[in-house]
Amino acid sequence: MEGGEKKGYGISSVCSRISLSQALVLCLCILPASVHAQCEKKPVIFIFGDSNSDTGGGSAANGMTFGPPFGRAFFHELNGRLSDGRLMIDFFCESLNASYLSPYLESLGSNFTNGANFAIGGAGTLPRFKAFSLDVQVRQFVQFRQRSLLLRSKGYASQLSEEEFKNALYIIDIGQNDLSAAVTQHLSHEQLIQNITTFITEIKLAVLGIYKSGGKNFWIHSTGPLGCLPQKLATTPPRNATTDYDPHGCLVPLNNAAKEFNGQLRALCKELQTEMTNATIVYVDVYSIKYNLIANAAKYGFEKPLMACCGYGGPPYRYNPNFLCGGGRATACDPGQRYLSWDGVHYTEAANSIFAANILSTNFSTPPLNLNFFCNA
Ligand SMILES: *[C@@H]1O[C@H](CO)[C@@H](O)[C@H](O)[C@H]1NC(C)=O
Ligand SMILES: *[C@@H]1O[C@H](CO)[C@@H](O)[C@H](O)[C@H]1NC(C)=O
Ligand SMILES: *[C@@H]1O[C@H](CO)[C@@H](O)[C@H](O)[C@H]1NC(C)=O
Ligand SMILES: *[C@@H]1O[C@H](CO)[C@@H](O)[C@H](O)[C@H]1NC(C)=O
Ligand SMILES: *[C@@H]1O[C@H](CO)[C@@H](O)[C@H](O)[C@H]1NC(C)=O
Ligand SMILES: *[C@@H]1O[C@H](CO)[C@@H](O)[C@H](O)[C@H]1NC(C)=O
């Protein structure tokens, strides 16, 4: 997938493909006024994370392609995303009139003039030094920065400058895979909290590493409600069928683990903000955004918020770890049906566009800065 492809303003193109009444409901509530402020400097973005943000890095690194029905809602061709269309990061780029971010590892058609995407599907904060954990992604960034500056000093004017690296936005959205692994280990509450602290420490090291390289603008996402994923619901036997599910049908212990992670992450952002002179750190409560949409799915015209669109098996979850979306035995919902979960783990483009609009509203950000604060400073 070409990184430098031109696209229209994403939210209006979402609207053009759904019915008028849906469009009115959707667009009236998701078009955020705040994103229209013009960037004064060229927006440059770097993102670190997992498949929630991976725009093709994992596909390139592992030599894997995600064929139809992946991409059926937007790209209509191989694009390396684990969704039917755009991810939150794609909508962020559109809101800034920037091209989609090329994956750092994509050797064909990449264009890094507006940043790079280091996120890789399956990545976690741990284990360290293993492809492509967060510390490796940050080391890749440091190498990318050194190479860019070296080439620039040799006359390659299209490489990013030191000033552009300094003014860039650094986004981190990671932790879901670490948590996912931890909750299957039947740890005690204390052990789980201890494990989560080790994940948060890795995020701290990542932010400090980027800061040491001159980065100063950070945008940090909390992790989503793990216990609402069809994958988790279909494969986690409840310890107590009465107390383990919340009123919306999500697994309480898994969501509590996500909340513990987020509490520590929020505290970390506060701590780093006082430690890092001249840096700006925005913490975004992505958990609440995702949970609110799951809880109010019907209001937004979504069907069965806990069931995957693409997978194997019937209700309630349509998820079978042996027959995943993209495999021969999996089937996908009708393209006209609005689902939140694409494949049991990843969200649909329709869901991602609403998540992005909520994030762009700043209603869930601490402090409530617009996404484009970094290109206007
Ligand atoms: C993006 O382009 C539109 C239309 O030209 C403009 O109104 C808007 O201010 C731009 N947004 C940014 C963040 O530059
Ligand atoms: C890379 O993208 C920028 C803008 O995003 C564009 O101006 C430039 O022409 C592109 N370079 C190549 C080689 O495609
Ligand atoms: C999680 O906790 C268990 C039990 O204390 C421990 O064996 C394991 O090493 C921990 N994992 C991490 C990543 O901290
Ligand atoms: C489940 O929890 C409820 C409420 O605490 C309790 O009354 C019930 O005995 C528990 N069931 C099992 C199987 O542990
Ligand atoms: C912070 O910014 C001020 C004003 O731009 C500058 O003088 C100072 O050196 C900066 N401090 C650090 C640690 O970067
Ligand atoms: C953000 O909050 C304002 C004020 O409460 C509200 O009017 C607006 O609809 C909210 N936007 C989103 C996307 O939630």
Side-chain angles (χ1 to χ4, degrees):
M1 175 78 232
E2 298 271 321
E5 196 173 320
K6 281 261 182 298
K7 292 289 180 227
Y9 191 64
I11 289 164
S12 44
S13 55
V14 171
C15 295
S16 64
R17 281 175 291 102
I18 56 181
S19 77
L20 187 59
S21 58
Q22 280 177 323
L24 283 174
V25 173
L26 186 64
C27 293
L28 287 179
C29 51
I30 72 172
L31 266 183
S34 51
V35 297
H36 286 292
Q38 199 99 33
C39 273
E40 283 155 26
K41 288 187 265 220
K42 181 178 82 174
V44 176
I45 301 175
F46 297 100
I47 183 164
F48 305 83
D50 54 28
S51 53
N52 288 316
S53 314
D54 182 347
T55 55
S59 166
N62 299 305
M64 284 165 60
T65 52
F66 313 126
F70 287 91
R72 74 176 189 182
F74 188 74
F75 295 100
H76 310 293
E77 61 189 11
L78 294 179
N79 69 88
R81 289 163 178 78
L82 286 169
S83 178
D84 59 339
R86 287 163 288 184
L87 311 181
M88 292 190 290
I89 181 65
D90 297 315
F91 289 108
F92 292 176
C93 289
E94 288 183 6
S95 80
L96 298 168
N97 298 330
S99 304
Y100 299 135
L101 292 183
S102 290
Y104 167 73
L105 293 173
E106 176 56 73
S107 45
L108 289 174
S110 285
N111 180 336
F112 298 114
T113 51
N114 66 318
N117 188 336
F118 295 90
I120 300 283
T125 65
L126 290 167
R128 302 206 87 206
F129 310 117
K130 286 271 165 60
F132 293 96
S133 56
L134 183 59
D135 68 313
V136 173
Q137 294 182 23
V138 171
R139 285 186 291 142
Q140 289 178 328
F141 162 72
V142 171
Q143 189 263 6
F144 175 91
R145 182 176 178 281
Q146 285 170 347
R147 294 268 306 145
S148 298
L149 298 180
L150 177 68
L151 289 170
R152 199 178 163 88
S153 75
K154 291 183 175 177
Y156 292 92
S158 67
Q159 302 296 322
L160 292 172
S161 68
E162 189 143 10
E163 192 66 15
E164 286 171 318
F165 279 104
K166 196 177 107 203
N167 293 324
L169 182 66
Y170 296 87
I171 305 179
I172 298 179
D173 184 329
I174 201 160
Q176 187 174 317
N177 290 317
D178 301 280
L179 273 182
S180 185
V183 296
T184 60
Q185 288 172 29
H186 303 293
L187 303 174
S188 69
H189 185 63
E190 289 68 30
Q191 287 171 330
L192 180 65
I193 290 178
Q194 181 49 45
N195 269 221
I196 288 171
T197 303
T198 66
F199 310 152
I200 299 296
T201 301
E202 289 302 320
I203 296 178
K204 176 178 182 171
L205 293 174
V207 173
L208 289 173
I210 296 164
Y211 181 64
K212 224 178 87 195
S213 289
K216 61 183 175 66
N217 301 311
F218 296 90
W219 187 270
I220 299 183
H221 286 180
S222 73
T223 195
L226 190 66
C228 302
L229 299 180
Q231 177 209 39
K232 289 287 171 279
L233 287 159
T235 59
T236 312
R239 277 173 290 187
N240 182 325
T242 355
T243 55
D244 271 10
Y245 296 99
D246 73 12
H248 300 290
C250 301
L251 285 160
V252 173
L254 273 59
N255 280 352
N256 284 345
K259 286 181 188 168
E260 170 64 30
F261 177 94
N262 292 337
Q264 291 195 29
L265 185 62
R266 188 191 278 273
L268 172 70
C269 290
K270 215 172 149 190
E271 174 199 325
L272 288 172
Q273 184 61 82
T274 59
E275 275 176 26
M276 292 164 35
T277 330
N278 293 1
T280 305
I281 304 173
V282 178
Y283 170 84
V284 189
D285 180 8
V286 172
Y287 182 100
S288 295
I289 292 171
K290 289 183 172 173
Y291 191 82
N292 287 347
L293 187 54
I294 290 163
N296 298 295
K299 221 174 77 187
Y300 287 85
F302 286 98
E303 311 185 26
K304 308 181 184 72
L306 303 181
M307 185 159 142
C309 163
C310 182
Y312 180 82
Y317 307 126
R318 195 190 276 140
Y319 182 89
N320 183 318
N322 301 315
F323 306 111
L324 297 176
C325 180
R329 301 191 49 186
T331 55
C333 66
D334 185 88
Q337 292 178 293
R338 276 165 66 77
Y339 272 71
L340 284 174
S341 181
W342 167 243
D343 59 5
V345 180
H346 309 99
Y347 290 93
T348 58
E349 166 170 291
N352 287 331
S353 77
I354 295 177
F355 298 155
N358 275 285
I359 292 171
L360 293 171
S361 79
T362 74
N363 286 1
F364 298 87
S365 300
T366 312
L369 288 173
N370 285 327
L371 179 78
N372 62 3
F373 76 94
F374 71 102
C375 49
N376 281 309

